Every structure is written in structure tokens, then in C-alpha cells.
């Protein structure tokens, strides 16, 4: 955009204001005859805690140049804690936009009370100024797709030896037979060989004959945890660290009951595809050992995992992912979603995506339009990333199953690391700890808020 | 029949010349995955490798196809009119295009699809022989000849380091006029020339499926039973147990053709889109009343198998599966339609034997 136009251009800013404080504050600004730019379009909501991050993403995709969200000051919420939950959500959303290369300054959060008419005028002044400097949202360089291959080739994971797998397999078989024949479980969820030389496929063993088909080898990459929800009765599951983490997350969210599951935890050093190349999703796996298990199958067949760091100690933060410039990050994100065909396979295979009706499927409010253009893809992937914030267990199922090879795990990992830094929570480690995004602390930092801390 | 012998580099060069007037869909590698994509650089085309991840149906029946636009001044036609070329289509995918021709045509099905028809008229298909099998593919069992297919406008046979373009449709042959090759005797025998059917939509079409090019290859995967018997006698849940309901199989499938219409509003313009639907989704055939005749994955999976292997055989005399194996390779749960159909057939046979004894 040329400079002259930029000076005269007035951005469109959508403002979500809480009914009790900020909306009244805006009213006061009006009745006090305070001047502020005519750039904002106000939407009154009951509480800042009501604002689904999806509204903000949708506003940006549908043409808003900026979004302002304002609620009561922390401690003043009409509903006592609504803005406390909102605060975490907004901090994470800003981080997500940053990781994906969208200027986080377009989205501003602040607190304005009913008596702060003057502050409201200042806030509008400030965000209009910021957004004007940034120019229109989602401009022409949306299509600036870099040609470089983003995948790092340095995959360090080395699979266990054939011997290890045989030892593990016999141990798994022994345990499963015992569990089935003693009637402790009704079904054992494991792997069997694929008849077309593919990677082993899920086995639902209900009898001892079924167990004859059970295999365990270096190609057992499929994540079995999504199947647990559809099984009736008691089930035993052969759980790799990623499966186990996913189960922990489902337990935390009350989707499974612990007494119905027997977890046969298996040590795993990363799985390989059929060409013996490391599986995409295994890259950056946080641990080799399941965090929760009833029976342990170590690589030497032992009953305990020896000499391996426990998953909670492992430091997985990798800030190099976000070190690049905002344009490079955007180019990377756009290049990945350019491949997406919106088939939602990632969602179906994800152990964290268990909603009975996904927001994309709800046609009454058409949150997601059936138009595979870039905006829709951005809306889908950003919203999904927000839904999985602090819930993703880095199992990599989304990357492993994508028919188009969309690799977006780096976003989820980046958000996970951020949440771990800020709130000390990592999904899928401890079933007793409440999830980060549905809890709050009065001392949560307000990173990137208007008048708050700088990132 | 005309044929041109050409080197690979001149062929690629020739395609480059066509880019001016045509949209070209070709197998290219993108982040390590071979897939059909609309190209702007002919040098990226990869011929003769494994089967591309998704099918070339994108040219005829895209994921989202704008049909009409509603604006303040009236309604405009949003259909795609630019001539298209699809390059490097293997015999199984050629068969799939021929099947879609049948499914979307009035002659063999009850309805004539105007949107498909328009795209089909603008499409030139350039096939290539299949030199490399992909994991899980079983096209031979469905009567597909991997070395030759006459269901396309031109077919490339590989002869050493040279390509031989057999021009099967003289009208479409004009696109090769700028190609730097020399005319040779066609690989296809002259006898085939008389009875070959151009895949022109308007042409008369034989009632027998066109893709069975080799009479020796009769379809071995044939479910011959009444569907009402199959509904209950086959334990469908053992096949669908590991299905996650993601619908990838239907998205990569070259013959899946279920669709729905959705209106999209943007900046005051409403576009009516035809979008892919998938029988694997919970909302498939959901009635306005809230009733769904296929409430669980078991029924939806049954629909997918029987639609391909039974219903279309009855309605259009085709088995709408080319054995390309894409669904098998891409399934996150390891569901295998080949194994499933074989198992169903053996169960039917076992039941028949039992019935005969009694």
C-alpha cells in the first residue's frame, strides 16, 4: 500500500465489549463527548469469558483489520471469574497468531471499567494507530509462499532393534493372554499385520484365537487411543508413550474412566515407515516412556523402565521454531495449509478431537463455510490449534494421517511449550492436574495486553 | 492411428508450450509427496513413478466447484470454462474417468450432470502406462490392463528412453502439433482403432463398461448377491471397527462422487458451491427431522462398499473401483477395501454352499 493511501485509510476494527464494564465505558466515552476514531464496530457480549477465540479468528478472516476485546478488570468480573479464564485464552491466542506469522498486534486485549470513559477513548485511539501502521489484514502477500522445504532432516530417533521388538512382543502377548483369560478385560487393543504389507493395523482381540494375530514391530505407528472411546466394557490397550499421553488427556477431560482401561505401557524409540524412514509425527516426541501404565514393557522385556528420564523432566522447548521473522513464519504456515484440502482427517485421527459435533460440522451457525479457499483453511487450522492449546499431546497423528502431507505439528508444539513456560502445564503427563486452559491463577501474566507486558 | 515418438525432455517442453492456453494438471512432487496439482512449471512433472496420492478427478469434479453466483444485479454463471489437460494418468485413473463419465451421464444413469459435462468437454486426457505398482493396488483383479488403455485422448507408452504418444482422439491430437517428435507406427494395433470409443461426453457409449480393455481380465472381485441379504448376513462391524470416520478414503478415491451444495456469502456475493460429501461422515444422509438411516460407522462403511461393488453395478453396469489402492494406503486405521471385498465374497460363497447342502 502506498504511503499516501495509508495515511487516509481507516481500518475496520471489531470490538467485543463486555456488557458490564467496557460497554458501559464506551457509553460513558460517548456521553462525555470524548473523541475517538470511527474505526470500531462494537459487539456487546455478556462477558469477556464468553468470547470464543474463533470469533476473533473469524473476524480477521472475514475482513476485519483488527480486533479489540475488552472486559472488566481482573477481580471485577460480574460473573466473578469469567475474565480470568479469558485472560489465559487471549495470551495463548496472541502467541498462536505470532507462531503462524500473523501480526499479534492486530488483536488487542484490555480491561476498561464502566467509569473509564477516557481510557476507552485512549484504547481505541491506540489500537487504530497500531493497525493503521500495519495496513490491511490478510493483504496480497498472503500468497507469498516460500519454496524452501521446512522439514528439518535431522531426525535423531533410532528405532529399537528387531530383537528388542521380539522380546517386547512376547511380553505383550503374555500379558494380553493373562488379562483376557482371567476375564480382567473384554478386549485387547493392539496391532496385527496388514495383509497388503502395510503398517500394522488395529487389532481388537476378544478371544485367545484373535491374540494369535497380535504383532509388535517398528512400524506400529498408528495411535490406538481414539478407539478406546468406542469400545464397550473393559479394555486393555498396547500403549506407546504417545498413546499413553493421549489416554491421560482423555482421563483428565473425563472422557474415559480409569477403571475400565488397563494400560500396557511400551517403551518406544520412535516408529519407522515402511521404507524404514522415521515417521513424521515422531519427530520431537517428548518421551520414550509412557507417563501412565499398569504394566510396563521395557525394551529389554523388563517390568520397569530403567535409566530413562521421566516424561515430566524432559525439556522439549525448542524456540528455534519461532525465531524467524514474522514473514517467514507466515510463509511457512501458508505453505503448509496450501496443501490442505479440508478433509478433516487430522481431526478424526486426533485423540484430543472428540467433540460429538465439530464446529466445522455445525451448519446452523455456519462457522465454517464449505469453500476451500485460503481464508477458510486459516480459520480451520487456527481454530483447531486454539481448541488443542494445552491439550495436544504431540502424538503426531495429525501429520501421520494427512493425505496431503500438511505438517502443522510445529504450531501445536510451539503452543505447548508456551503453555508449559507460562502455566507449568503439559498435557498427557499427570491425570490429576487440571488442564491449563480450564483453570486460572490470579497472578497470570498479561503478555501483550494493551497496557500490559511486552512479549 | 497416429503416434509420435518423442524424448522426455521434448515432451516436457511441449507441455510447457501448452501452458499458455490450457490449465495443466500433472503429477508433481510437493514436499516429498507425489500428487496431481495444477502446474505452472512443466519441469516439475514426474511421469512414470508411483500413483499420485490423490486422483485426477479434481479436474472434472473438484473439491469445491462454484456453480453460480448471486449478486445484486443478478445471477451469473460461475462454471469453469478454461480448457484443461491432465497429464500422466495411469490406466486405473483413466478407467475412473470413464466411470465418472458413465455415472454423470444421462445415458447410463438417469441424470445428465451439466457441470461435469462442461468440464469434461474442456478436458484432454493424456494417459501413461503403469510401470510401477504401488503398495496395495489390485487393478488386475478388476480387469484393468496396466500397459494400455484407450479410454483417453492420447496414451503414452514408454519405449526405452523414448515416449510414444498414441493419439487416440484425432481432434485432441492437434495439441501435439507443437511437439518435437517424429511420427511412428502406433503401439496400439490397427484393429483397435475401429472400435475404440473416444471419451467424448456427447458420444454414444456402449452399455458394457469401457475400461475392460482386455477380455481375458474379467473382474474377479464381484459381489453377486442381493443387498437385503448382505445387510444382515455380513458382520459389517468387524470391517468398520478400525474406521475412524475421517473420509480420507473418499477424498483420495478416483471414483467417489457424492456431493452436496452449499452457499457461501462473501462481500455481498453469494456463491453456490458444489462440494464433495463423504459417506464416512456422520452428517451423510442426515435428514432434516434428525433421523439418519445410517446412524453408525458400520452402516456408513457398508454403504461405501456396496455403493462401489453392488449398487453401481446394478444401476450403471460398472464396479466403481479401479483397484488403485489409494484408500488402503491413506487410511489412518488400516481399513482395506480389497481384503474386505474378498472376505465378503468368500462369506457369500460359504453361505451359498451351506444353502446348497441344506
Amino acid at each position: 500500500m502506498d504511503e499516501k493511501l495509508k495515511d487516509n485509510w481507516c481500518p475496520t476494527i471489531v470490538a467485543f465489549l463486555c456488557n458490564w464494564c467496557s460497554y458501559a465505558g464506551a457509553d460513558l466515552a460517548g456521553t462525555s463527548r470524548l473523541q475517538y476514531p470511527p474505526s470500531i464496530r462494537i459487539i456487546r457480549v455478556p462477558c469477556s469469558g464468553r468470547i470464543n477465540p474463533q470469533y476473533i479468528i473469524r473476524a480477521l478472516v472475514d475482513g476485519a483489520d483488527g480486533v479489540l476485546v475488552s472486559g472488566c478488570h481482573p477481580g471485577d468480573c460480574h460473573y466473578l471469574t469469567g475474565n480470568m479464564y479469558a485472560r489465559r485464552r487471549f495470551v495463548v491466542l496472541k502467541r498462536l497468531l505470532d507462531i503462524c506469522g500473523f501480526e499479534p498486534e492486530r488483536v488487542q486485549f484490555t480491561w476498561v471499567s464502566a467509569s473509564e470513559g477516557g481510557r476507552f477513548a485512549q484504547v481505541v485511539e491506540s489500537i487504530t494507530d497500531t493497525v493503521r501502521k500495519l495496513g490491511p489484514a490478510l493483504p496480497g502477500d498472503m500468497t507469498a509462499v516460500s519454496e524452501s522445504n521446512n522439514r528439518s532432516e535431522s531426525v535423531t530417533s533410532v528405532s529399537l532393534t528387531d530383537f528388542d521388538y521380539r522380546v517386547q512382543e512376547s511380553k505383550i502377548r503374555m500379558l494380553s493372554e493373562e488379562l483376557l483369560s482371567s476375564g480382567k478385560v473384554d478386549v485387547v487393543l493392539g496391532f496385527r499385520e496388514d495383509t497388503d504389507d502395510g503398517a500394522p493395523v488395529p487389532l481388537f482381540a476378544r478371544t485367545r484365537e484373535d491374540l494369535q494375530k497380535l504383532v509388535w514391530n517398528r512400524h506400529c505407528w498408528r495411535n490406538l487411543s481414539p478407539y478406546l472411546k468406542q469400545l464397550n466394557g473393559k479394555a486393555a490397550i498396547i500403549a506407546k508413550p504417545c498413546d499413553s499421553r493421549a489416554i491421560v488427556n482423555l482421563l483428565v477431560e473425563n472422557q474415559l474412566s480409569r477403571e475400565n482401561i488397563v494400560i500396557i505401557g511400551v517403551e518406544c524409540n520412535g516408529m519407522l515407515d515402511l521404507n524404514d524412514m522415521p515417521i513424521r509425527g515422531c519427530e520431537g516426541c517428548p518421551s520414550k516412556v509412557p507417563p501412565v501404565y499398569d504394566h510396563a514393557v521395557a525394551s529389554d522385556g523388563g517390568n520397569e523402565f530403567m535409566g530413562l528420564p521421566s516424561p515430566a523432566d524432559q525439556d522439549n522447548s525448542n524456540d528455534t521454531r519461532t525465531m524467524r521473522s514474522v514473514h517467514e513464519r507466515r510463509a511457512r504456515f501458508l505453505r503448509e495449509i496450501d496443501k490442505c484440502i479440508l478433509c478433516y482427517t487430522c481431526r478424526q485421527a486426533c485423540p484430543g478431537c472428540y467433540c460429538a459435533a465439530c464446529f466445522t460440522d455445525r451448519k446452523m451457525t455456519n462457522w465454517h463455510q464449505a469453500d476451500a479457499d485460503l481464508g477458510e483453511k486459516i480459520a480451520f487450522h487456527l481454530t483447531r490449534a486454539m481448541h488443542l492449546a494445552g491439550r495436544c499431546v504431540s502424538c503426531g497423528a495429525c501429520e501421520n494421517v494427512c493425505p496431503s502431507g500438511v505438517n502443522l505439528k510445529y504450531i501445536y508444539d510451539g503452543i505447548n511449550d508456551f503453555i508449559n513456560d507460562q502455566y507449568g502445564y503439559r498435557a498427557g503427563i499427570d491425570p490429576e492436574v487440571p488442564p491449563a486452559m480450564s483453570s486460572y491463577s490470579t497472578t497470570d501474566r498479561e503478555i501483550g495486553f494493551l497496557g500490559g507486558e511486552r512479549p | 492411428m497416429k503416434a509420435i515418438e518423442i524424448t522426455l525432455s521434448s515432451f516436457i517442453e511441449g507441455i510447457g508450450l501448452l501452458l499458455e492456453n490450457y490449465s495443466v494438471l500433472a503429477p508433481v512432487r510437493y514436499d516429498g509427496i507425489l500428487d496431481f496439482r495444477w502446474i505452472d512449471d512443466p519441469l516439475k512433472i514426474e511421469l512414470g513413478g508411483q500413483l499420485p496420492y490423490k486422483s485426477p478427478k479434481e479436474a472434472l469434479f473438484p473439491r469445491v466447484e462454484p456453480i453460480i453466483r448471486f449478486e445484486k444485479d443478478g445471477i451469473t454463471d460461475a462454471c469453469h470454462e478454461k480448457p484443461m489437460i491432465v497429464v500422466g494418468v495411469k490406466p486405473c485413473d483413466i478407467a475412473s474417468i470413464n466411470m465418472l463419465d458413465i455415472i454423470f451421464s444421462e445415458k447410463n444413469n438417469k441424470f445428465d450432470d451439466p457441470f461435469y459435462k462442461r468440464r469434461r468437454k474442456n478436458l484432454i486426457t493424456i494417459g501413461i502406462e503403469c510401470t510401477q505398482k504401488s503398495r496395495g493396488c489390485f487393478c488386475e483383479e478388476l480387469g484393468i490392463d496396466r500397459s494400455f488403455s484407450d479410454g483417453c485422448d492420447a496414451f503414452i507408452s514408454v519405449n526405452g528412453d523414448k515416449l510414444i504418444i498414441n493419439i487416440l482422439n484425432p481432434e485432441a491430437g492437434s495439441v501435439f502439433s507443437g511437439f518435437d517428435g517424429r511420427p511412428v507406427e502406433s503401439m496400439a494395433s490397427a484393429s483397435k482403432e475401429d472400435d475404440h470409443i473416444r471419451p467424448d461426453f456427447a458420444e454414444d457409449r456402449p452399455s458394457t463398461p469401457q475400461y475392460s480393455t482386455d477380455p481375458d481380465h474379467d473382474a474377479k472381485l464381484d459381489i453377486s448377491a442381493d443387498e437385503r441379504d448382505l445387510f444382515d448376513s455380513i458382520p459389517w462391524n468387524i470391517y468398520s471397527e478400525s474406521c475412524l470416520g475421517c473420509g480420507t478414503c473418499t477424498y483420495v478415491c478416483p471414483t467417489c462422487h457424492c456431493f452436496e451444495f452449499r452457499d457461501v456469502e462473501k462481500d455481498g456475493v453469494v456463491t453456490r458451491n458444489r462440494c464433495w460429501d463423504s459417506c464416512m461422515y456422520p452428517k451423510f444422509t442426515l435428514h432434516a427431522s434428525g433421523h439418519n438411516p445410517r446412524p453408525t460407522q458400520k452402516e456408513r462403511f457398508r454403504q461405501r462398499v456396496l455403493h462401489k461393488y453392488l449398487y453401481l453395478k446394478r444401476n450403471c453396469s460398472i464396479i466403481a473401483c479401479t483397484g488403485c489402492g489409494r484408500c488402503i494406503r491413506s487410511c489412518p486405521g488400516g481399513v482395506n477395501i480389497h481384503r474386505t471385498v474378498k472376505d465378503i465374497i468368500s462369506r457369500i460363497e460359504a453361505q451359498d454352499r451351506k444353502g446348497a447342502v441344506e
Side-chain angles (χ1 to χ4, degrees):
Chain A
M1 186 186 245
D2 71 64
E3 286 306 310
K4 207 173 143 198
L5 255 174
K6 214 171 195 168
D7 289 341
N8 296 325
W9 172 68
C10 184
T12 307
I13 293 160
V14 176
F16 294 100
L17 305 183
C18 113
N19 178 43
W20 305 100
C21 293
S22 302
Y23 191 80
D27 244 5
L28 183 62
T31 46
S32 314
R33 303 271 193 277
L34 294 173
Q35 287 229 336
Y36 58 82
S39 54
I40 65 164
R41 312 283 185 275
I42 294 173
I43 296 171
R44 180 155 64 154
V45 292
C47 177
S48 50
R50 170 68 186 88
I51 296 157
N52 189 329
Q54 194 179 350
Y55 301 168
I56 300 167
I57 294 163
R58 196 75 244 181
L60 288 175
V61 167
D62 279 354
D65 302 305
V67 176
L68 168 69
V69 181
S70 178
C72 306
H73 286 274
D76 271 355
C77 179
H78 184 76
Y79 305 99
L80 306 178
T81 55
N83 54 6
M84 294 291 190
Y85 291 104
R87 182 158 63 178
R88 283 200 171 184
R89 235 176 270 155
F90 298 154
V91 167
V92 171
L93 174 64
K94 284 202 96 159
R95 179 63 169 194
L96 171 68
L97 290 174
D98 196 29
I99 290 173
C100 299
F102 299 103
E103 300 91 345
E105 296 83 16
R106 285 189 194 284
V107 181
Q108 296 286 0
F109 303 106
T110 194
W111 316 121
V112 173
S113 79
S115 60
E116 294 176 317
R119 183 166 147 68
F120 182 78
Q122 276 173 14
V123 163
V124 177
E125 196 86 57
S126 149
I127 183 171
T128 309
D129 205 41
T130 313
V131 174
R132 185 177 282 143
K133 279 185 193 131
L134 290 171
L138 313 185
D141 68 342
M142 283 285 290
T143 48
V145 172
S146 79
E147 278 291 319
S148 69
N149 192 332
N150 294 311
R151 289 202 69 76
S152 64
E153 299 298 332
S154 59
V155 182
T156 47
S157 96
V158 179
S159 162
L160 302 175
T161 63
D162 282 341
F163 180 73
D164 291 338
Y165 282 110
R166 275 204 299 281
V167 170
Q168 283 186 327
E169 187 183 273
S170 58
K171 182 83 190 296
I172 291 169
R173 196 183 295 268
M174 203 184 74
L175 281 167
S176 315
E177 274 183 22
E178 196 184 302
L179 286 166
L180 260 187
S181 54
S182 66
K184 280 185 187 143
V185 298
D186 305 312
V187 56
V188 174
L189 190 46
F191 290 96
R192 66 182 162 82
E193 208 58 77
D194 181 77
T195 44
D196 278 331
D197 306 327
V201 298
L203 165 75
F204 300 80
R206 293 191 169 83
T207 60
R208 292 191 66 165
E209 290 75 65
D210 289 346
L211 271 183
Q212 299 299 314
K213 296 180 204 152
L214 189 125
V215 295
W216 176 253
N217 59 36
R218 64 186 67 211
H219 304 304
C220 293
W221 55 265
R222 296 183 205 272
N223 196 326
L224 296 177
S225 48
Y227 296 108
L228 278 176
K229 276 198 62 172
Q230 69 189 43
L231 291 174
N232 299 321
K234 291 196 168 194
I237 178 170
I238 317 295
K240 300 186 290 294
C242 50
D243 292 294
S244 179
R245 291 197 301 271
I247 292 167
V248 169
N249 192 48
L250 290 170
L251 290 171
V252 166
E253 295 176 0
N254 296 322
Q255 296 301 312
L256 297 173
S257 57
R258 186 68 181 87
E259 59 268 26
N260 282 342
I261 307 162
V262 178
I263 303 170
I264 302 175
V266 186
E267 183 182 334
C268 169
N269 216 355
M271 286 291 164
L272 304 179
D273 69 8
L274 295 167
N275 302 322
D276 280 343
M277 293 302 288
I279 284 291
R280 280 188 286 172
C282 287
E283 193 181 327
C285 178
S287 71
K288 296 172 183 172
V289 190
V292 172
Y293 52 89
D294 297 309
H295 303 278
V297 181
S299 58
D300 57 359
N303 288 331
E304 268 175 76
F305 299 121
M306 301 287 285
L308 294 161
S310 85
D313 301 339
Q314 209 135 29
D315 183 25
N316 184 38
S317 49
N318 181 0
D319 266 340
T320 50
R321 291 188 183 102
T322 50
M323 289 297 275
R324 308 180 201 192
S325 77
V326 75
H327 290 289
E328 280 173 308
R329 290 200 295 274
R330 178 187 288 205
R332 172 171 186 186
F333 178 66
L334 293 181
R335 176 174 166 80
E336 291 300 338
I337 63 169
D338 179 48
K339 294 181 270 185
C340 174
I341 55 168
L342 288 179
C343 65
Y344 311 128
T345 304
C346 45
R347 175 190 81 189
Q348 291 304 117
C350 175
C353 274
Y354 53 72
C355 291
C358 180
F359 73 98
T360 59
D361 290 340
R362 283 184 218 146
K363 288 176 190 172
M364 289 298 281
T365 311
N366 210 350
W367 279 115
H368 202 73
Q369 301 187 315
D371 190 350
D373 76 3
L374 204 54
E376 295 305 316
K377 293 182 196 173
I378 291 171
F380 171 68
H381 287 289
L382 289 186
T383 309
R384 197 174 106 83
M386 265 320 278
H387 285 182
L388 284 169
R391 302 176 54 243
C392 169
V393 295
S394 296
C395 69
C398 47
E399 291 198 356
N400 292 340
V401 302
C402 179
S404 313
V406 178
N407 301 319
L408 286 178
K409 190 162 158 259
Y410 77 96
I411 295 177
Y412 305 117
D413 285 346
I415 290 290
N416 282 349
D417 293 346
F418 179 72
I419 286 175
N420 192 27
D421 290 348
Q422 289 302 314
Y423 311 122
Y425 179 82
R426 213 172 253 291
I429 305 281
D430 187 345
E432 303 305 324
V433 182
M437 296 310 280
S438 37
S439 47
Y440 68 87
S441 154
T442 48
T443 56
D444 283 341
R445 293 166 64 198
E446 296 179 354
I447 302 165
F449 276 40
L450 265 184
E453 294 171 57
R454 292 281 110 208
Chain B
M1 195 181 349
K2 266 172 63 183
I4 305 168
E5 191 184 63
I6 194 166
T7 59
L8 181 63
S9 54
S10 333
F11 177 76
I12 298 289
E13 234 168 70
I15 295 292
L17 296 175
L18 294 175
L19 276 172
E20 213 168 288
N21 300 320
Y22 293 89
S23 305
V24 178
L25 187 69
V28 291
R29 206 167 279 281
Y30 194 82
D31 270 5
I33 290 179
L34 189 66
D35 198 2
F36 278 108
R37 292 180 80 94
W38 297 104
I39 58 160
D40 44 25
D41 180 5
L43 292 174
K44 287 188 182 156
I45 299 178
E46 257 189 65
L47 292 175
Q50 291 212 328
L51 211 50
Y53 213 105
K54 292 197 292 291
S55 79
K57 78 173 168 188
E58 182 70 26
L60 293 165
F61 176 54
R63 162 82 174 80
V64 177
E65 180 180 25
I67 302 295
I68 37 175
R69 285 198 182 91
F70 309 92
E71 279 165 273
K72 277 186 187 140
D73 339 330
I75 298 172
T76 48
D77 189 343
C79 277
H80 181 93
E81 291 281 10
K82 200 183 174 192
M84 300 175 285
I85 296 181
V86 52
V87 183
V89 194
K90 291 200 177 186
C92 55
D93 285 341
I94 297 171
S96 79
I97 290 174
N98 293 340
M99 284 178 201
L100 289 178
D101 287 349
I102 294 170
I103 290 160
F104 282 115
S105 84
E106 188 180 26
K107 210 160 165 51
N108 291 282
N109 210 336
K110 279 176 211 140
F111 307 100
D112 210 352
D113 188 296
F115 316 115
Y116 181 89
K117 193 170 174 176
R118 246 197 280 191
R119 282 180 169 264
R120 187 68 180 94
K121 261 197 209 151
N122 287 330
L123 180 74
I124 292 170
T125 48
I126 303 178
I128 189 162
E129 74 171 281
C130 177
T131 49
Q132 196 179 352
K133 282 195 76 163
S134 307
R135 182 178 68 79
C137 72
F138 53 101
C139 59
E140 291 95 342
E141 290 181 50
L142 288 153
I144 286 162
D145 182 0
R146 285 171 55 216
S147 60
F148 186 76
S149 169
D150 53 9
C152 50
D153 293 310
F155 189 84
I156 301 171
S157 311
V158 182
N159 184 13
D161 56 348
K162 294 273 175 65
L163 303 176
I164 293 171
I165 309 172
N166 301 288
I167 296 165
L168 301 162
N169 175 1
E171 278 173 43
S174 60
V175 298
F176 299 108
S177 55
F179 282 52
D180 181 23
R182 66 182 181 87
V184 287
E185 191 67 17
S186 167
M187 296 269 285
S189 63
S191 65
K192 278 199 174 167
E193 193 174 7
D194 305 324
D195 59 3
H196 98 263
I197 310 299
R198 283 201 293 117
D200 188 332
F201 200 87
E203 279 282 299
D204 280 354
R205 200 167 288 289
S207 56
T208 49
Q210 222 266 289
Y211 56 89
S212 323
T213 45
D214 189 342
D216 298 333
H217 281 285
D218 273 338
K220 287 176 202 154
L221 286 180
D222 190 359
I223 299 179
S224 44
D226 189 66
E227 77 207 50
R228 268 156 303 189
D229 297 340
L230 292 179
F231 267 38
D232 299 323
S233 67
I234 303 290
W236 291 100
N237 50 342
I238 65 162
Y239 307 124
S240 66
E241 202 164 35
S242 54
C243 172
L244 289 163
C246 69
T248 310
C249 46
T250 56
Y251 272 55
V252 297
C253 177
T255 63
C256 269
H257 54 271
C258 290
F259 58 83
E260 59 176 355
F261 287 96
R262 288 222 205 162
D263 290 352
V264 176
E265 189 264 323
K266 217 158 244 180
D267 303 329
V269 182
V270 176
T271 312
R272 176 155 298 171
N273 287 328
R274 165 152 89 173
C275 320
W276 290 354
D277 200 355
S278 165
C279 50
M280 295 287 114
Y281 292 160
K283 297 250 166 152
F284 184 73
T285 59
L286 177 67
H287 297 181
S289 65
H291 169 69
N292 193 340
R294 303 184 182 91
T296 67
Q297 210 55 34
K298 176 189 142 191
E299 288 88 6
R300 296 194 276 267
F301 184 77
R302 181 184 69 200
Q303 161 70 14
R304 189 168 101 85
V305 174
L306 291 186
H307 190 198
K308 291 200 178 303
Y309 282 86
L310 200 65
Y311 308 151
L312 279 168
K313 196 172 74 175
R314 194 178 55 202
N315 295 344
C316 306
S317 347
I318 55 172
I319 292 173
C321 175
T322 63
C324 67
R326 284 188 175 96
C327 53
I328 297 170
R329 288 190 293 279
S330 63
C331 181
V335 177
N336 186 321
I337 196 167
H338 183 207
R339 191 172 55 217
T340 304
V341 171
K342 281 211 285 206
D343 196 52
I344 291 170
I345 291 169
S346 66
R347 273 172 202 272
I348 293 169
E349 281 169 359
Q351 275 165 14
D352 287 351
R353 272 199 302 277
K354 210 171 133 199
V357 170
E358 281 168 13

